[in-house]
Amino acid sequence: MQERYDPAAIEQAAQSDWEAQQAHVADESAPGEKFYCLSMFPYPSGRLHMGHVRNYTIGDVLSRFMRMQGRNVLQPMGWDAFGLPAENAAMANGVPPARWTRDNIAYMKGQLKSLGLSIDWSRELATCDPEYYRWNQWLFLRMLEKGIAYRRTGVVNWDPVDQTVLANEQVIDGRGWRTGALVEKREIPMYYLRITAYADALRDALDTLPGWPERVRAMQANWIGRSEGVDIDFPWADDTVALLGKSGALRVFTTRADTLFGVTYVAVAAEHPLALAAAAGNAALAEFVDECRRGSTMEADLATQEKKGMATGLHVCHPLSGEQVPVYVANYVLMGYGEGAVMAVPAHDERDFEFALKYNLPLRTVIASPSGAYDQVQAPWIDAYGELGTTVNSGQFNGLASAAAVDAIAAALAAKGLGDKRVQFRLRDWGISRQRYWGCPIPIIHCASCGDVPVPDEQLPVRLPEDLVPDGSGNPLARSEAFLACKCPRCGADARRETDTMDTFVDSSWYFLRFACADQARAMVDGRADYWLPVDHYIGGIEHAILHLLYARFWTRVMHELGLVKVAEPFSNLLTQGMVLNHIFHRTPATGRREFFNPTDVDLVVDATTRQSRATLKRDGSEVVYEGLGTMSKSRNNGVDPNIITSQFGADTARLFMMFTAPPEQSLEWSDDGVQGANRFLRRVWKAVFDHVSAGAAPALDAAALEPADRDLRRVAHLTLGKVKDDIGRRRVFNTAVAAVMELLNAIGRHGGSTDAARATRQEALEITVLCLSPIVPHICHALWAELGHVTPLHRERWREVDAAALEQDSIEVVVQVNGKLRGRITAPSGAADDVLRELALADAAVLRFLEGQTPRKVIVVRGKLVNIVI
RNA sequence: GCCGGUGUGGCGAAACUGGUAGACGCAGCAGACUCAAAAUCUGCCAUGGGAAACCAUGUGUCGGUUCGACUCCGACCACCGGCACCA
């Protein structure tokens, strides 16, 4: 055996052994219960980042561990290959997105392979492959047939200078990122998927997913946001009827119908027909409506912007009292939500309250406070105003509890044909149309006489031309005659293709199904999907907790309904891994924009007492600003290239550092010293095996002939074996598993001894060390297992069972507390009864000192652990 | 603004079901080895007091429940993730 640990040689040898033996190719007919382990596939951005390394190491540790438990494991990998960054790269370099994407895939695949991941590469797929995205198109057409997909208008960010639709990411402070022009909202026709029809099912099924983190289930339930309420029609008053030349009603949705008699105005969105009609004859109002149309469509911006409004001069009638109520246009009412109109009850809703105060609208108290917190609502706002209570000032509905009042008022409205109870979801239908080139074409043909015609199945896939280069001025497909020109499938006349492509969330909503049968040419999926699904463990970033996971659940449910797959829920267990962070340093020169410096180029000194930090550039000692920790990102120049770590220390060191430094769900702070520490531990493991093996083959273990020191080591080894299995297999935490093996190695180092019994014990302890570490650092373990004298390669070995006899011990230590404070320790025979522990504790010298002759009021004994004496 | 999370030594963390707070590692300090350095090995390492034994304090802040609270409850503060066209 070589004395020096040489990761480069070891890792290459291990990887070619695995490859030669096809060790990781998954086979549906192999024995063992299936285990489908999936990590979220990467966007091929160019290079792997540390978040990927963390994600895929977690998946690989689980995969390798489960193989050792006898499971038939599938761990696939692919590429989420469509998306905006490819278009941005094209604009910067003039390279077609297709070529940029495929080059990136080739490079990143090499990086993934060098990490030693036990992936079945025979199932690799990229979502930009026509043989993949044809099935997006195929299922979209099935959804059209079922009415799950439909077309209506939606609001987008519009750059008036570039004449193009902008992604939210391309809107910076309300302006286009390239032109700096003020962004406008614009309504355009788009395709939607009716996910709201599945809102209840998606919400209810969360209860059937105990393997999901509670926080993710809570976020999804809140996102879907079921609320019960009442649709209420406010008939138009005479002025409105006169303006529009017909009668009608303004419909609102409210969860607080009990406050209906407190309505003092109604508010509509700027795009609401009533607002537009009123603005036609009112220049000031038209200007305000225009103002509302400027700015971003993002909810976070809308929710934090100043609440503004303006009277339309129009009125509607209160549906029960008949009183006239003014109609306002307000920037906080959104056309996309509910009816685009709300009834306002300033006395019992905080937002209406602020608005009413600003525009001098009256308050009308209609709920009596159950806690007596107020009599009459008046400024300033207190939370009690918004609570449920008993109705007052509400005519015949006085004196009802809020819930009863909602029922009574809803019934009265229904009797007049002016209202109905209804369930409303916060969730909105999924708009999938993108006015972008690098995506899956929506398979629709626009015909002058037949309208929007679906592309027939036999003409699929609608291929995306791969030679176009976007330039920032809109979708190049719209200017490509070769793509646009086609015949109407219905009448045969000349027609135009739809140029919108699909949201990339569509691509990632079913790739996990395709991995089960990636070579299937005739169908979207086949019976192998029923074998592998559901995914037994899905691993990915917490940032995907809502959108991706909800869309994937929805899409799978639709495929289930169409009879394509047996499962309705795709992921039984979910691990949401935390982010990888690093320090951020920048400097803002007098001219120009902020410059970021990579942490490797900066010295950071933190004063322990003042907590002041000072950061200087290594090259010239000049000072830079320390911003603290943040996610590794290109824009902040604080990324660490995985290649540098693997080439310097090896993949095993990178993997060990990732797994040891933080629990998987928490954010992980990058540390060069931590990487050194991980490498040091691997060298220690290597040396421990080297020292042991150099002394010759160890004799067989005779458990009955061990000295106390041997029995101690054997106990630690078997405790470690149990702990590591529990940590990885049940708790899914890896940092404590590694810590346990480190303790075992420390114990081996202390053990010494050169008797036959000692050497046999050490052989077993080292074998357990290697077995426990092998899912985490597979290359070094592959080599060490052979050095320890095994012929069967490590990846074919099973996990070892704990020997219960090795764990037995004669006596245990029990701590003694007086009034909950630690005062002493006693040694007792293991299995000692409660009163034995009690007597021993009361006789302990340290305890007697604190008792000071007093009689204990109470003694609490926790078996095998602790005695607490209360005086 | 709304939804979800996190907060423990100089630093990353551990304490799983309410039962010894700080396992394991990083950094640091001291020693051994070395001509020397690196590497390696050994010891120390929450804070205050004390020569020590030991005592007191200590898990973001304030309050509560309990024989006993990092863990449960209430209020608050700070930071992080998501908010529907980044993926």
Side-chain angles (χ1 to χ4, degrees), chain A residues 127-192:
Chain A
T127 57
C128 62
D129 295 339
E131 283 314 303
Y132 182 80
Y133 67 68
R134 74 178 297 162
W135 301 109
N136 287 356
Q137 298 172 343
W138 183 82
L139 199 80
F140 172 79
L141 295 174
R142 301 292 84 75
M143 289 191 186
L144 264 185
E145 290 162 4
K146 296 266 175 194
I148 299 168
Y150 66 96
R151 188 169 152 104
R152 69 162 162 88
T153 60
V155 183
V156 294
N157 303 304
W158 180 256
D159 185 319
V161 174
D162 261 351
Q163 293 281 299
T164 188
V165 175
L166 297 178
N168 282 338
E169 191 189 49
Q170 298 170 319
V171 179
I172 296 158
D173 299 329
R175 291 170 183 274
W177 66 332
R178 285 158 60 82
T179 63
L182 276 176
V183 169
E184 297 170 7
K185 298 187 186 78
R186 176 170 279 215
E187 289 208 43
I188 58 168
M190 303 207 288
Y191 283 94
Y192 282 85

Side-chain angles (χ1 to χ4, degrees), chain A residues 582 599-600 618 640 645 649 657 669-677:
Chain A
N582 202 355
T600 51
K618 280 179 183 162
V640 176
I645 307 304
F649 300 103
F657 168 73
E669 209 177 295
W670 185 260
S671 148
D672 289 326
D673 287 329
V675 174
Q676 298 267 6

Side-chain angles (χ1 to χ4, degrees), chain A residues 799-817:
Chain A
W799 197 259
R800 202 171 279 185
E801 290 308 315
V802 174
D803 179 359
L807 303 183
E808 282 168 16
Q809 51 183 347
D810 302 333
S811 63
I812 53 166
E813 189 189 72
V814 173
V815 296
V816 185
Q817 297 180 335

Side-chain angles (χ1 to χ4, degrees), chain A residues 630-663:
Chain A
T631 336
M632 285 192 182
S633 77
K634 209 176 259 183
S635 62
R636 292 190 283 200
N637 190 17
N638 66 339
V640 176
D641 189 340
N643 280 26
I644 293 173
I645 307 304
T646 48
S647 60
Q648 199 174 345
F649 300 103
D652 281 340
T653 293
R655 294 170 61 120
L656 180 65
F657 168 73
M658 288 285 170
M659 301 311 278
F660 175 64
T661 304

Side-chain angles (χ1 to χ4, degrees), chain A residues 581-655:
Chain A
L581 312 177
N582 202 355
H583 302 288
I584 305 168
F585 302 98
H586 78 261
R587 188 154 66 189
T588 313
T591 54
R593 59 205 295 182
R594 184 172 283 201
E595 186 185 0
F596 286 89
F597 297 93
N598 195 280
T600 51
D601 302 328
V602 178
D603 284 318
L604 177 65
V605 182
V606 181
D607 189 296
T609 48
T610 64
R611 297 289 171 128
Q612 294 289 305
S613 60
R614 193 182 131 87
T616 49
L617 275 191
K618 280 179 183 162
R619 63 165 184 266
D620 59 9
S622 62
E623 202 154 340
V624 294
V625 179
Y626 177 50
E627 255 187 57
L629 285 168
T631 336
M632 285 192 182
S633 77
K634 209 176 259 183
S635 62
R636 292 190 283 200
N637 190 17
N638 66 339
V640 176
D641 189 340
N643 280 26
I644 293 173
I645 307 304
T646 48
S647 60
Q648 199 174 345
F649 300 103
D652 281 340
T653 293
R655 294 170 61 120

